[in-house]
Structure formats: structure tokens, C-alpha cells
């Protein structure tokens, strides 16, 4: 599920400034709803044929699968001028949040190397007849981040009763 020649790691140009701006949105479907999420993402992509995007990361924990989608906004200078390519990409991102809200979309940072490798396996196996469920079963389960304990108030923050 990749369109155009999106390179999630934007090419580095002169002065170490990325030529293209990529926004990462992570979808977090429950493990049983992964196929439905990917199908909905494919349907949404069909509605936005002019947008370059790709699945750039894939991982899972005990409850959810994390599918990271990289959306190419276009060259940095064109994004600043709100080019037609950037407007189309923003509309696509907006539709991800509006139509795929059941899969808990959030903005995220670039995926890790392991997540990128898993996404590459998913994309390679898509044409070979392997299902997404098979690829997901092969992924190692990362432990869910524990919920931090509440912070205790400092001495100046206490309100006398």
C-alpha cells in the first residue's frame, strides 16, 4: 500500500534540510480489526489519487497493531506556500482523522528501524499472496508502555485544607 515514489526518509538536500516534508500518522486498530483498518485505508487512498503516501512502520503489542503511514506534503518551500500538492496531502490527513477515527489515529514521529523493516515485509508480501495477518503474526510483541504513577505535588504546590 504505497503510492508514487514516496521515500519516507526524505532525501537530504543542501544544508542538511529535507527536500520533502513527510508527516507520519499512526493508526492503532485493535488486533482483530487490522484487516478492516488496512481496507479502509486503501479505500481512502483511492479517493485521493494525487497524494503520495506509504506504510512506513508496523508494530504490535498485546492489544493493538500500530500502522504508521507517511504522507508526503511536498517540497518544504511549496508547503510554506500551501501548494496544491500540500493542500491535497492535508485533505488526505484530515480524512484519515475523520473517517478512520475508530482506529485511533495520532500524529507520531518517524518509525523505528524495526517498524520500517516490518512495513517493508508487509509491502513486499502483499503482492506475493501473503496476508497482512500472516505478517502481523510474525512480528514480535512489544510490551505496552506502563501508565506512569501520578506526580506528587511539590512543597509550594500544596493547598492547605
Amino acid at each position: 500500500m504505497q503510492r508514487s515514489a514516496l521515500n519516507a526518509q526524505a532525501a537530504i538536500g543542501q544544508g542538511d534540510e529535507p527536500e520533502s516534508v513527510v508527516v507520519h500518522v499512526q493508526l492503532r486498530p485493535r488486533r482483530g480489526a487490522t484487516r478492516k483498518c488496512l481496507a479502509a485505508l486503501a479505500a481512502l487512498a483511492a479517493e485521493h489519487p494525487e497524494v503520495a503516501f506509504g506504510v512506513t512502520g508496523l508494530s504490535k503489542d498485546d492489544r493493538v497493531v500500530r500502522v504508521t503511514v507517511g504522507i508526503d506534503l511536498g517540497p518544504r518551500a511549496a508547503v510554506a506556500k500551501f501548494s496544491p500538492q500540500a493542500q491535497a496531502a492535508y485533505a488526505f490527513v484530515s480524512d484519515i482523522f475523520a473517517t478512520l477515527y475508530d482506529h485511533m489515529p495520532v500524529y507520531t514521529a518517524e518509525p523505528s528501524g524495526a517498524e520500517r523493516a516490518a512495513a517493508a515485509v508487509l509491502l513486499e508480501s502483499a503482492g506475493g499472496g501473503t496476508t497482512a495477518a500472516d505478517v502481523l503474526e510474525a512480528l514480535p510483541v512489544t510490551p505496552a508502555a506502563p501508565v506512569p504513577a501520578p506526580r506528587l505535588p511539590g512543597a509550594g504546590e500544596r493547598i492547605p485544607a
Side-chain angles (χ1 to χ4, degrees):
M1 181 174 303
Q2 193 163 346
R3 181 168 305 129
S4 298
L6 171 67
N7 182 0
Q9 296 176 344
I12 303 297
Q14 299 294 334
D16 290 334
E17 179 175 281
E19 290 178 6
S20 189
V21 178
V22 177
V23 170
H24 295 279
V25 176
Q26 191 173 80
L27 299 167
R28 297 174 294 156
R30 297 218 181 274
R31 289 184 73 176
T34 306
R35 286 184 189 162
K36 184 178 177 182
C37 174
L38 292 174
L41 181 61
L44 183 63
E47 296 173 15
H48 297 272
E50 68 281 357
V51 178
F53 78 99
V55 175
T56 57
L58 188 64
S59 62
K60 67 180 181 179
D61 62 23
D62 293 335
R63 296 178 307 167
V64 298
V65 174
R66 292 180 296 276
V67 179
T68 306
V69 179
I71 299 104
D72 186 7
L73 300 179
R76 185 172 301 280
V79 171
K81 295 177 183 176
F82 212 56
S83 70
Q85 180 183 359
Q87 290 178 37
Y90 284 128
F92 180 65
V93 171
S94 176
D95 283 352
I96 286 177
F97 280 90
T99 60
L100 301 178
Y101 62 90
D102 285 340
H103 305 298
M104 303 177 277
V106 294
Y107 287 107
T108 189
E110 288 191 27
S112 67
E115 290 172 333
R116 286 185 187 280
V121 169
L122 174 69
L123 294 173
E124 288 172 10
S125 64
T130 305
T131 65
D134 295 336
V135 174
L136 291 172
E137 284 303 316
L139 287 177
V141 176
T142 55
V147 177
R151 183 180 67 83
L152 297 174
E157 297 176 332
R158 294 186 183 157
I159 300 174

